[in-house]
Amino acid sequence: MVKNERWGRPCPDTRDWSIYNERLVRRGELYIALDFLNRWDDLLAEMNAGKCGRPYKYPEPFIVWMACIHIFLLMPYRQMEGFVRKLAEFIPRLTAADYTTLFRRIEQLDLSLKVTPEFLAEDVIIAVDSTAITVTNRGEWMREKWKVRRGWIKVHAMIDVESNQILGLEVTDESVQDDQMFAPLLEQAVQNCGEEHPVYLVLGDGAYDRNEIFNLLEKRGILSGIKTRNDAATHSTGSPYRAECVRDRNRLGGYRMWAQKNNYGMRWKVEGDFSSLKRIFGEGVRATSREGMFREIQMKVNWYNMLIAAVA
């Protein structure tokens, strides 16, 4: 049944469900994306050219595909070896790698954020926020009964509200405040967008209402869509641009009109990305070391961007 209302407001459903369903079905093709088999020998020759020591036996795309299996199917490394060994019986070109090799090669993968610029708008609008990822599967009873607390890790992200791609990512522990990660996130986002897709506007909640952030946005020529406090000063107290934004909000008649002018409602897109990420990959991590947890989150975010690119 089609919903015609959303939160009490008219919301006509204009989505073409046949196209949308096909896009979601196409995501499953990534599980068996074995195009690299046709270039197996050529890829190995390129990787081993001029290499000192033992030559590579498995090309990089194969390791990337195995990382996909590890992340999507939550498959341990020993089971991954058996999975490929059995699959190789049906695909003669495929060669199974032992679990130690898989672990070492996946650990060495380049985890820099992968973004597809052609899906970005001419003027990019970015939303910024953070979310918590649990580090243990222990429930509330265990935590309350035995007073065991392992905390959580924090995922800070900037996303493009148009394509839903994650443009900036920082993973920290729970003690790091959101505003402290704004500058490195913005640097990543600007770099990933490139000159052809400049960042036009940044949307953020009150956690980013800091003079330093407004000054950084002004320096880069980026408009602010950051929510300021209701009692914020209208004169400069370290950031003339922040004071200007506060005066602009007051001239418009308050928060509601300011939010409408700056498309602040689009900030929920970052919450939607976090929700999708957790539904697909789970709300926790399986790694036990701090470095392993951070790498696991980075791999999940990269594959999330690849899923978006695959169905765009």
Side-chain angles (χ1 to χ4, degrees):
M1 182 176 179
V2 177
K3 293 183 179 179
N4 293 322
E5 293 187 359
R6 186 178 187 184
W7 299 309
R9 292 175 292 177
C11 182
D13 190 351
T14 59
R15 175 179 292 174
D16 189 328
W17 282 95
S18 61
I19 296 177
Y20 178 72
N21 288 337
E22 178 59 25
R23 288 176 176 176
L24 295 183
V25 170
R26 283 170 51 196
R27 288 185 176 183
E29 296 177 3
L30 289 177
Y31 296 118
I32 310 293
L34 302 177
D35 299 339
F36 58 85
L37 291 177
N38 297 326
R39 301 184 57 238
W40 185 284
D41 294 335
D42 295 336
L43 291 170
L44 282 179
E46 294 175 6
M47 294 177 61
N48 291 321
K51 184 182 184 300
C52 297
R54 179 183 298 178
Y56 289 113
K57 295 176 60 178
Y58 309 99
E60 194 77 358
F62 168 74
I63 301 300
V64 172
W65 176 64
M66 292 307 301
C68 165
I69 298 300
H70 178 63
I71 291 298
F72 278 105
L73 303 184
L74 304 179
M75 192 178 294
Y77 288 99
R78 286 177 173 85
Q79 293 181 23
M80 286 164 59
E81 178 182 348
F83 172 79
V84 180
R85 184 189 302 170
K86 192 65 177 179
L87 192 61
E89 295 180 7
F90 303 94
I91 307 175
R93 292 185 179 181
L94 188 61
T95 303
D98 63 272
Y99 65 88
T100 303
T101 299
L102 291 175
F103 176 81
R104 290 175 178 173
R105 289 288 301 276
I106 290 176
E107 194 176 35
Q108 296 170 3
L109 284 177
D110 177 19
L111 297 181
S112 56
L113 202 57
K114 310 239 178 352
V115 176
T116 309
E118 50 264 32
F119 297 143
L120 300 175
E122 292 185 1
D123 293 320
V124 179
I125 299 178
I126 286 177
V128 57
D129 206 348
S130 68
T131 189
I133 299 292
T134 58
V135 299
T136 176
N137 290 327
R138 289 178 173 178
E140 291 295 327
W141 183 87
M142 181 73 73
R143 188 160 28 248
E144 294 297 327
K145 174 66 177 177
W146 303 108
K147 306 302 179 185
V148 176
R149 183 182 183 278
R150 292 191 60 190
W152 62 86
I153 55 180
K154 239 177 162 181
V155 177
H156 309 259
M158 277 189 175
I159 68 110
D160 170 34
V161 300
E162 184 68 26
S163 67
N164 292 330
Q165 290 188 91
I166 297 178
L167 304 177
L169 175 71
E170 291 289 341
V171 186
T172 66
D173 57 39
E174 60 185 289
S175 64
V176 178
Q177 297 181 3
D178 291 358
D179 59 292
Q180 297 176 2
M181 291 292 102
F182 185 89
L185 285 174
L186 184 61
E187 182 67 28
Q188 290 182 47
V190 170
Q191 183 176 357
N192 286 324
C193 289
E195 297 181 357
E196 297 181 356
H197 307 276
V199 178
Y200 169 73
L201 174 69
V202 174
L203 306 173
D205 59 21
Y208 301 95
D209 182 17
R210 301 289 186 272
N211 288 339
E212 298 79 7
I213 291 178
F214 280 87
N215 291 337
L216 178 60
L217 293 176
E218 183 182 25
K219 181 180 179 180
R220 288 188 170 274
I222 300 173
L223 295 180
S224 168
I226 296 175
K227 182 180 180 182
T228 53
R229 296 193 307 271
N230 293 331
D231 59 348
T234 57
H235 58 276
S236 176
T237 56
S239 175
Y241 181 51
R242 178 177 181 272
E244 180 184 341
C245 292
V246 174
R247 292 194 296 269
D248 182 57
R249 182 198 65 190
N250 294 341
R251 282 195 299 267
L252 291 171
Y255 165 73
R256 185 176 294 273
M257 295 303 297
W258 170 86
Q260 184 175 349
K261 175 189 174 184
N262 291 278
N263 293 319
Y264 186 72
M266 298 300 289
R267 194 194 68 83
W268 70 269
K269 283 291 194 76
V270 67
E271 303 286 354
D273 265 24
F274 287 148
S275 177
S276 297
L277 192 67
K278 291 179 179 180
R279 287 200 310 270
I280 296 172
F281 299 106
E283 299 189 7
V285 291
R286 296 189 302 156
T288 55
S289 68
R290 175 188 173 96
E291 294 76 13
M293 293 176 187
F294 287 8
R295 287 183 59 84
E296 184 176 334
I297 293 297
Q298 290 171 323
M299 282 196 291
K300 289 178 177 180
V301 169
N302 266 331
W303 278 107
Y304 179 74
N305 275 356
M306 292 181 67
L307 282 178
I308 292 176
V311 301

